[in-house]
Amino acid sequence: MRDVPISSIGGLGSAGSSAQNGTGKPHFVAVTTLEDAQAVRCAEFHPDGKVYAVGSNSKTLRVCAYPKLLDLREEHVAYQPTVLFKRTKHHKGSIYCLAWSPMGDLIATGSNDKTVKLMRFNADNCNIEGQEVELTMHDGTVRDLCFIEDMSNKSSLLVSGGAGDCKIYVTDCATGTPFQALSGHSGHVLALYTWGGAMFVSGSHDRTIRFWDLRTRGCVNSVTPQTMTPGTKGNPVASLSVDPSGRLLVSGHEDASCVLFDIRGNRVIQAFKPHSSDIRSIRFSPNAYYLLTGGYDNKLVLTDLQGDLTMPLPSIVVAEHQDKVISGRWHPTDFSFVSTSADKTSTLWALPPA
């Protein structure tokens, strides 16, 4: 990924156009836009970056080709991405979340039909192989998923959480069997994130972030970050991310606050508000230089983390949808990202070469 200082990237004008707005700085432009009949909830890049999967309220799962960006220009007009795999009625309900295994050979989806579907994916022919496994242990909407590689026996574990009993389930992907049910949250689990090893974090409507270690089979820490809303103790945690080193956690909240948390020091570094409404998506860039947040104010914001994290952080609006932004995900290596929105689209954004 190119190391681009945020001062050299143009923000959006008041009209939300990606024209140069007279600044002369390159802007993120919409490269491809996938259109759906209903709100598009989730999109995730395959670990090799050549394809990305998109899940929608229309129950449709698609795998799209990542476009070639070599000749990208400011005046580029977005086109429909090449859909390499499409399955309609993939769930009985809306697809709320999806995840790839770190090896890219498994894909999992979660839905408000209360099920998780686990499938084997062949990256060579971009197809689902063999019988899918349907997991039915949840008794409410499955809101988030993440894969953990169990290095001790070279297998993948799937962590899933959501509404209903608010339990987090751990499933052995080799057998398709859930073998742990982790209790602790008193509200819907809205976000899960892992950064390698046996550790993962969960964020909940109960305002807490919980740290879990699969080796100890339990919660090893619970924090309620103080957000920007004065006089309250915390705020529902809608999104989470941890930097690759496992030192820094960021959380996005329903009051539009974003909180930077020092994991090793067990302390909040600062809270700030890059949006004017719920932050539904938050992700470090692969090198952790930037933060990409997506909010119900229809915007995607880039925040620069390369300075003193205790000081005010520079941020700019880099993309905009016609309706609420539900998710934003970085490409594994390129300075590009895919977003999904209630405006029934999923758009891939990239920065033209300077």
Side-chain angles (χ1 to χ4, degrees):
M1 179 181 275
R2 288 181 290 156
D3 185 8
V4 186
I6 202 164
S7 57
S8 68
I9 303 169
L12 289 181
S14 55
S17 75
S18 58
Q20 289 229 352
N21 301 335
T23 62
K25 294 174 181 177
H27 292 255
F28 279 90
V29 297
V31 184
T32 63
T33 297
L34 177 76
E35 293 170 9
D36 194 276
Q38 294 185 40
V40 185
R41 283 195 177 268
C42 51
E44 298 282 349
F45 282 102
H46 187 273
D48 71 11
K50 293 175 185 169
V51 298
Y52 59 98
V54 182
S56 154
N57 273 11
S58 67
K59 310 172 188 174
T60 307
L61 175 68
R62 296 177 180 89
V63 178
C64 303
Y66 181 61
K68 290 184 168 50
L69 301 175
L70 292 171
D71 303 321
L72 190 60
R73 296 283 176 267
E74 280 281 348
E75 56 277 8
H76 175 86
V77 177
Y79 56 89
Q80 285 273 355
T82 303
V83 177
L84 303 170
F85 173 87
K86 180 179 179 180
R87 181 183 278 181
T88 56
K89 298 181 182 165
H90 176 59
H91 276 273
K92 293 186 180 73
S94 305
I95 301 173
Y96 265 69
C97 52
L98 62 87
W100 297 95
S101 63
M103 299 292 292
D105 58 338
L106 296 170
I107 182 170
T109 54
S111 168
N112 60 359
D113 67 9
K114 306 179 186 177
T115 70
V116 172
K117 293 204 172 184
L118 181 63
M119 295 146 292
R120 209 153 265 298
F121 180 77
N122 184 326
D124 295 331
N125 62 13
C126 205
N127 217 334
I128 303 297
E129 293 193 331
Q131 271 303 105
E132 65 180 46
V133 175
E134 187 175 80
L135 302 169
T136 56
M137 63 278 184
H138 289 279
D139 64 353
T141 298
V142 182
R143 295 296 298 260
D144 208 359
L145 303 156
C146 65
F147 280 94
I148 293 179
E149 288 295 296
D150 182 359
M151 288 309 174
S152 59
N153 58 12
K154 295 285 187 287
S155 71
S156 291
L157 305 176
L158 179 67
V159 180
S160 55
D165 62 12
C166 309
K167 284 189 175 124
I168 297 168
Y169 289 90
V170 185
T171 300
D172 181 341
C173 297
T175 61
T177 312
F179 67 94
Q180 280 189 42
L182 303 169
S183 302
H185 282 298
S186 59
H188 295 174
V189 177
L190 302 178
L192 294 164
Y193 195 84
T194 181
W195 60 100
M199 297 283 296
F200 71 92
V201 285
S202 56
S204 166
H205 203 266
D206 66 14
R207 307 177 178 201
T208 68
I209 295 168
R210 286 178 175 264
F211 293 78
W212 307 84
D213 189 333
L214 291 178
R215 292 164 299 199
T216 62
R217 294 174 174 254
C219 177
V220 291
N221 192 17
S222 175
V223 294
T224 306
Q226 185 53 53
T227 63
M228 297 288 286
T229 306
T232 60
K233 178 129 172 61
N235 192 266
V237 185
S239 49
L240 286 171
S241 185
V242 176
D243 83 319
S245 73
R247 292 177 185 178
L248 191 63
L249 175 140
V250 286
S251 52
H253 299 261
E254 288 188 357
D255 66 355
S257 295
C258 181
V259 178
L260 284 175
F261 184 80
D262 172 3
I263 295 175
R264 294 178 187 181
N266 197 32
R267 65 185 180 92
V268 169
I269 299 169
Q270 70 157 299
F272 60 102
K273 268 196 174 175
H275 292 266
S276 58
S277 190
D278 298 37
I279 299 178
R280 282 287 146 177
S281 179
I282 194 162
R283 281 296 184 268
F284 285 102
S285 62
N287 55 21
Y289 292 159
Y290 298 103
L291 201 57
L292 178 70
T293 49
Y296 276 6
D297 56 3
N298 306 0
K299 296 176 170 66
L300 289 124
V301 173
L302 197 65
T303 300
D304 195 335
L305 302 175
Q306 292 173 91
D308 181 346
L309 294 182
T310 63
M311 300 298 287
L313 302 169
S315 62
I316 54 167
V317 177
V318 287
E320 205 160 342
H321 276 270
Q322 300 298 310
D323 203 342
K324 296 170 179 173
V325 173
I326 306 173
S327 77
R329 295 291 184 265
W330 289 104
H331 186 272
T333 52
D334 291 356
F335 201 59
S336 61
F337 59 89
V338 63
S339 60
T340 69
S341 168
D343 68 8
K344 307 177 186 176
T345 67
S346 172
T347 298
L348 188 124
W349 309 84
L351 208 56

